[in-house]
């Protein structure tokens, strides 16, 4: 099998990549319009951006948290008032309030360099809200790498955060669907994790630059089994296809074949009902 054949055979297996097909613009809005009346603009859902995002600057998270804090203790939620842990008052006092109210860069992964942050101005209103709520996403058990996906994370708390944020903004959250990729893996104990971390960070940057990656979460290989889980939440499948098209992903895919002992991908659809009243997760079927 030649190199191009090999890459084509595994493109679909990296967390940020879902297809070897050519990338296209999203074919439609991922928000369910069925329960909304048509507006004069032709779209029944308010996709407008917030006039203010009402989040603290990223340094509230980056200067007080480690990568493990973000991964396992939902520390990124400190950036969003009202849904996470209280923020140290001394940090709040040091913030320029006028700047805070116009803040738009959100910590949406364990990578906190500015070019890895999510620009909320690139998102429509329901996706802004959901991205902010996802800062509270966290594993419910230390066995997240082998748990069923819907049991592994605190989705009830994420929806409670959506409800709180929607109420604060006087916004009716519409029924919405999100595309999820789950990457389950097992590493040998002597694997070069520094090298893998560099590959992953490069791939994440490409995904952020493509837009619409709402959340990236990854754990730490289990000390006894080497098993791990990484997952990303996209606005739509087409966004994931676009985000997985760069050279960083090619290098990461090569690592999958050459380093991982086992790897498996799941493609799921997260459905959030009107007003974030309920959620469900099932297989993504095109």
């Amino acid at each position: 099998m030649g190199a191009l054949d090999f890459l084509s055979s595994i493109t679909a297996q990296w967390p940020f990549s879902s297809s070897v097909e050519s990338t296209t613009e999203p074919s439609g809005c991922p928000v369910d319009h069925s329960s909304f009346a048509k507006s004069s603009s032709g779209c029944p859902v308010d996709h407008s951006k917030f006039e203010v995002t009402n989040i603290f600057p990223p340094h509230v998270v980056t200067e007080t948290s480690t990568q493990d804090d973000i991964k396992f203790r939902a520390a990124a939620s400190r950036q969003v008032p009202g849904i996470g842990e209280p923020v140290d008052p001394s940090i709040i006092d040091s913030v320029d309030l006028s700047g805070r109210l116009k803040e738009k860069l959100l910590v949406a992964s364990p990578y906190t360099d500015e070019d890895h942050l999510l620009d909320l101005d690139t998102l429509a209103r329901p996706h802004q809200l959901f991205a902010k709520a996802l800062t509270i996403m966290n594993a419910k058990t230390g066995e997240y790498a082998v748990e069923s996906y819907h049991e592994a994370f605190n989705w009830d708390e994420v929806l409670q955060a959506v409800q709180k944020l929607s109420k604060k903004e006087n916004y009716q959250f519409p029924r919405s669907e999100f595309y999820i990729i789950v990457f389950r893996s097992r590493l040998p104990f002597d694997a070069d994790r520094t090298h893998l971390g560099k590959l992953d960070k490069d791939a994440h940057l490409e995904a952020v630059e493509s837009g619409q990656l709402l959340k990236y979460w990854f754990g730490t290989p289990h000390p006894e089994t080497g098993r791990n889980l990484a997952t990303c939440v996209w606005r739509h499948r087409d966004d994931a296809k676009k985000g997985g098209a760069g050279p960083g992903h090619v290098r990461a895919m090569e690592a999958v074949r050459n380093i991982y002992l086992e790897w498996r991908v799941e493609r799921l659809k997260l459905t959030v009902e009107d007003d974030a009243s309920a959620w469900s997760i099932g297989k993504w079927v095109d």
Side-chain angles (χ1 to χ4, degrees):
M1 178 183 290
L4 292 177
D5 294 328
F6 161 64
L7 291 176
S8 295
S9 71
I10 66 170
T11 296
Q13 309 306 323
W14 188 250
F16 294 125
S17 182
S18 61
S19 175
V20 297
E21 303 164 12
S22 60
T23 57
T24 60
E25 292 301 314
S27 57
C29 175
V31 177
D32 185 339
H33 294 167
S34 59
S35 61
F36 292 80
K38 281 285 185 181
S39 67
S40 58
S41 64
C43 181
V45 176
D46 177 9
H47 292 290
S48 61
K49 301 176 176 65
F50 294 112
E51 292 183 1
V52 292
T53 56
N54 293 320
I55 62 174
F56 293 118
H59 76 72
V60 170
V61 176
T62 60
E63 293 183 5
T64 61
S65 307
T66 66
Q67 191 179 72
D68 274 358
D69 290 333
I70 296 171
K71 289 161 63 170
F72 300 118
R73 286 173 282 279
S77 63
R78 297 173 191 165
Q79 201 181 347
V80 185
I83 68 167
E85 298 178 12
V87 177
D88 185 339
S90 65
I91 297 175
I92 298 175
D93 291 342
S94 70
V95 173
D96 180 345
L97 295 183
S98 62
R100 182 192 73 182
L101 291 177
K102 295 180 180 179
E103 184 57 57
K104 64 177 185 176
L105 296 179
L106 185 71
V107 176
S109 81
Y111 300 127
T112 58
D113 298 338
E114 184 171 340
D115 52 1
H116 285 266
L117 303 181
L118 174 62
D119 186 348
L120 292 173
D121 276 352
T122 65
L123 300 174
R125 193 169 190 182
H127 308 131
Q128 285 187 355
L129 273 172
F130 198 64
K132 290 162 72 174
L134 283 169
T135 61
I136 208 167
M137 179 179 172
N138 194 15
K140 293 168 60 178
T141 167
E143 299 301 314
Y144 55 84
V146 295
E147 286 276 9
S148 61
Y149 190 79
H150 70 282
E151 294 285 350
F153 295 97
N154 59 337
W155 295 111
D156 287 339
E157 293 180 7
V158 171
L159 258 69
Q160 289 171 9
V162 174
Q163 294 169 1
K164 290 179 182 179
L165 293 170
S166 298
K167 182 177 180 180
K168 183 177 181 181
E169 299 291 342
N170 193 29
Y171 180 70
Q172 183 181 3
F173 193 85
R175 185 181 188 275
S176 306
E177 295 178 348
F178 302 92
Y179 181 61
I180 292 177
I181 300 177
V182 186
F183 181 73
R184 299 183 189 269
S185 63
R186 184 165 70 91
L187 271 175
F189 292 107
D190 60 352
D192 185 348
R193 298 184 184 182
T194 300
H195 174 61
L196 286 174
K198 174 65 166 58
L199 294 174
D200 187 73
K201 190 172 183 178
D202 289 347
H204 180 259
L205 180 58
E206 288 180 351
V208 170
E209 290 173 344
S210 74
Q212 315 301 340
L213 174 60
L214 305 183
K215 180 71 176 182
Y216 179 42
W217 189 97
F218 61 90
T220 297
H222 192 282
E224 296 178 2
T225 66
R227 296 191 180 279
N228 198 12
L229 179 149
T231 184
C232 42
V233 181
W234 294 87
R235 187 196 61 153
H236 192 270
R237 180 181 185 273
D238 289 329
D239 301 318
K241 288 164 61 179
K242 182 180 177 181
H249 288 80
V250 172
R251 291 190 292 271
M253 288 182 285
E254 291 171 341
V256 167
R257 172 69 176 270
N258 296 327
I259 299 177
Y260 286 92
L261 297 175
E262 299 175 20
W263 46 274
R264 177 166 59 91
V265 168
E266 300 167 24
R267 294 175 182 80
L268 304 174
K269 177 174 68 175
L270 168 64
T271 301
V272 179
E273 301 297 339
D274 291 329
D275 300 318
S277 58
W279 61 273
S280 60
I281 293 177
K283 290 184 178 180
W284 183 283
V285 180
D286 289 318

